[in-house]
Amino acid sequence: MIPRSAASDPRSGLRARKRARTERDLAEAAYSVVRDVGFDAVTADAVADRAGVSRRTFFNYYPSVESVFTASVAGFFVSVGERLEARPPTEDLLDSALAVVTDPGDSELVERISVLATAGESSAHARGLILVELHAWLDWLEGWLRRRLPPGTDDLLVATYASTLVGSAEAAFRVWARAPHPLSLPAALSDALGHLRTGLDPART
């Protein structure tokens, strides 16, 4: 009798799905702690408690508090990428970016943007972790831009475009999070992207 391989064992697939679900639950729990209490309150015990697992289980999945926080940040950027991919392929690039970050019906994304912006402004440690994930995501963004720009577009132009989009978003986050002002975060993002349309010319603002 030929032994059934582990790859075909339905139990191995079930275990993999359960593990992936627990990883997502822990990352989501880390985000909820940051949202409700602040980045400094993110501890292994706090995250495990939110996820309904033990401290030991937490460390079976993540080696540190920083790693579970960055997993939640990485998940956020994946969700942004999914929204960008869903935009019409013939749509203007800035219009696509603007539609994603200012969609009034996408309250979850707007909330996550504001939570991460606030965390990054209130904690240098959180800011560093977020920026690492943000700049790692640049590779994906460059790929998306390359698929949307005319064939043969220069690599340097693609990289500059990606970095400029990310930089304008970072600027909106900083200005919005630093002090009270009349702009909502989506409006700040909209204005920052609008500055790109004017070529950063103060006279055309």
Side-chain angles (χ1 to χ4, degrees), residues 73 77 129-139 166-167 170 173:
V73 176
F77 287 122
L129 295 173
I130 292 168
L131 288 176
V132 167
E133 292 303 313
L134 174 61
H135 288 278
W137 184 69
L138 271 173
D139 288 339
V166 167
E170 286 185 71
F173 298 160

Side-chain angles (χ1 to χ4, degrees), residues 76 79-80 83 100-102 106-114:
F76 162 74
S79 70
V80 173
R83 288 164 169 82
V100 167
V101 298
T102 62
D106 199 346
S107 58
E108 178 187 356
L109 183 68
V110 172
E111 178 198 82
R112 286 180 181 266
I113 292 173
S114 64

